[in-house]
Amino acid sequence: MEKWVRGEEIGHGSFATISKTKPRKGSPLMAIKSSKACGFQTLENEKRVLDKIGACSQIIKCYGENHSVENGVNYHNLLLEFASGGSLSDQIKINGGRLPEPEIRRHARSILKGLSFIHSKGFVHCDIKLQNILMFDNGNVKIADFGLAKETSSSLETEQLTVRGTPLNLAPESVNFNEYESPSDIWALGCAVVEMVTGNPVWNYKQEPNIWALLLRIGGDEVPEIPEELSEEGKDFLSKCLIKDSKKRWTAEMLLNHTFVSDIKDDDESDNTVVSEEFSPRCPLDFSNWDSSPQPNSPEFSLELFNVFEFSSSSSSSNCLISPENRLRQLVSGDSANWSFSESWVTVRN
């Protein structure tokens, strides 16, 4: 990779900053994601995951990595595609707080195609949100920020009380049982679609020091409200994404056959999306052909389940038998939980 010159900063998060960068020999404009030594693990993980996943039209390209010393500070750098349109979160602000449904359908399809590819390669993104969906000159969007991605069914490297992702977009099974598998990406996609429609987070949550109430809503019986202004097809699409039981939640392949997105014409016909040839179910009776293998613990949460499971302090596995109440209490107890992985990107300048 040719040498580059760091330009203006265009965004920053908890562990890294994003700057424009231009190679000295006139190559295309790129973005450089840089982290100091304290946060370089997420960049290393992002590069590793992107290398293993491979190329896909709906996933951000990585051109390489290197290290630099600037003003006496060591940086780990990733060279990435530059998205001139910023994130979908930026686009909502530009468009007055919400996006028109035709655009939402097109963006949802692109995200699903990216997720289908990611999941087919045995990975979970773990942090799908509008800030991590980037827009390009042609209006297409791509999934970015794989710093928290993990391999399917692999245990978390950190303690079981770690929160992996953004709290507002966490799936019920992630809150209750620390499970982060492909269905959690679909739940987060549903949250993102709601935000595109309304301009507000799916739970319409106002930031407070104690997020106990938010976690109870996510892990409890309450189902996120589906926007009334959405078409009937859109409402049905969201009802398949925001199913509390992860085993019954539709997969990316299933959702790509849903009428909300299936009629969208693809700009790029030569992508690597994995789409199932089977039929797409349209009622609960059809769902048996799509149902995943039974799991010992249902992620469905209710107050009656508080005392069903016993917490095992000797196990750090994501499948340990821990009661939803204990997990929630430990997550919001202050010192126990690690919320550092909920990286929030702040746009400095597009």
Side-chain angles (χ1 to χ4, degrees):
M1 176 60 62
E2 298 173 352
K3 291 185 177 180
W4 44 266
V5 177
R6 188 185 298 277
E8 63 179 323
E9 182 179 317
I10 56 177
H12 66 266
S14 302
F15 303 110
T17 60
I18 300 286
S19 305
K20 290 182 180 179
T21 179
K22 200 169 187 178
R24 290 173 177 167
K25 294 185 179 181
S27 296
L29 183 66
M30 294 185 294
I32 181 167
K33 187 175 184 179
S34 302
S35 177
K36 298 179 182 179
C38 60
F40 74 94
Q41 293 91 344
T42 58
L43 266 65
E44 286 187 335
N45 185 64
E46 182 165 6
K47 179 64 164 58
R48 179 185 67 85
V49 172
L50 288 172
D51 285 346
K52 286 191 173 184
I53 288 177
C56 175
S57 299
Q58 291 76 35
I59 296 175
I60 198 79
K61 293 179 182 178
C62 180
Y63 299 119
E65 65 179 334
N66 60 28
H67 293 81
S68 63
V69 179
E70 303 170 40
N71 298 320
V73 179
N74 291 312
Y75 289 95
H76 186 96
N77 308 303
L78 289 186
L79 295 173
L80 304 165
E81 281 186 285
F82 175 71
S84 60
S87 69
L88 280 186
S89 180
D90 299 326
Q91 290 299 314
I92 287 178
K93 296 174 183 177
I94 293 172
N95 285 274
R98 61 190 65 190
L99 297 179
E101 184 162 321
E103 287 189 30
I104 295 172
R105 289 177 181 240
R106 185 159 58 90
H107 296 332
R109 180 169 177 80
S110 294
I111 298 169
L112 279 171
K113 292 174 75 175
L115 287 178
S116 175
F117 187 78
I118 294 167
H119 296 166
S120 74
K121 295 296 183 177
F123 283 86
V124 187
H125 185 277
C126 294
D127 200 18
I128 294 294
K129 58 183 177 180
L130 296 187
Q131 292 89 338
N132 290 339
I133 309 299
L134 304 184
M135 178 173 282
F136 290 77
D137 284 333
N138 58 5
N140 292 339
V141 297
K142 297 188 180 185
I143 300 173
D145 200 348
F146 285 75
L148 301 182
K150 62 180 281 288
E151 292 189 62
T152 303
S153 300
S154 66
S155 299
L156 299 182
E157 297 83 359
T158 51
E159 294 298 321
Q160 68 181 28
L161 294 182
T162 295
V163 170
R164 198 180 189 92
T166 302
L168 274 170
N169 287 11
L170 286 177
E173 65 272 14
S174 301
V175 171
N176 293 337
F177 302 109
N178 208 32
E179 293 178 1
Y180 299 87
E181 301 299 334
S182 55
S184 64
D185 281 345
I186 300 302
W187 177 278
L189 168 65
C191 296
V193 170
V194 171
E195 192 169 349
M196 282 190 274
V197 175
T198 66
N200 296 312
V202 65
W203 297 105
N204 200 20
Y205 175 75
K206 296 181 180 179
Q207 291 294 334
E208 297 175 1
N210 191 334
I211 63 167
W212 170 253
L214 171 65
L215 295 177
L216 281 177
R217 294 177 70 189
I218 296 174
D221 293 328
E222 183 181 354
V223 178
E225 183 177 348
I226 294 177
E228 284 297 327
E229 57 266 43
L230 200 56
S231 67
E232 292 303 316
E233 288 179 330
K235 292 176 183 177
D236 187 72
F237 178 87
L238 281 178
S239 73
K240 305 302 188 289
C241 297
L242 301 175
I243 296 176
K244 285 285 190 173
D245 188 341
S246 62
K247 299 189 297 296
K248 296 179 181 178
R249 200 173 301 147
W250 281 27
T251 66
E253 292 83 359
M254 294 163 67
L255 289 167
L256 280 167
N257 289 320
H258 193 284
T259 54
F260 184 65
V261 298
S262 62
D263 295 336
I264 303 299
K265 183 178 179 181
D266 294 322
D267 294 325
D268 184 359
E269 299 292 341
S270 60
D271 60 61
N272 300 307
T273 307
V274 178
V275 181
S276 174
E277 296 294 331
E278 299 184 54
F279 73 97
S280 178
R282 286 293 177 267
C283 72
L285 295 178
D286 291 337
F287 203 95
S288 58
N289 290 337
W290 290 90
D291 207 357
S292 60
S293 58
Q295 299 295 321
N297 301 326
S298 168
E300 203 71 60
F301 177 106
S302 69
L303 295 178
E304 288 78 8
L305 288 176
F306 276 177
N307 298 316
V308 171
F309 302 124
E310 293 182 0
F311 174 72
S312 173
S313 60
S314 61
S315 172
S316 61
S317 168
S318 63
N319 294 321
C320 67
L321 298 181
I322 176 173
S323 79
E325 181 188 35
N326 285 338
R327 165 128 175 105
L328 289 172
R329 290 189 183 282
Q330 289 158 347
L331 282 174
V332 299
S333 62
D335 296 333
S336 298
N338 178 3
W339 295 93
S340 61
F341 286 127
S342 57
E343 183 170 26
S344 297
W345 287 99
V346 177
T347 300
V348 177
R349 181 176 178 184
N350 290 334

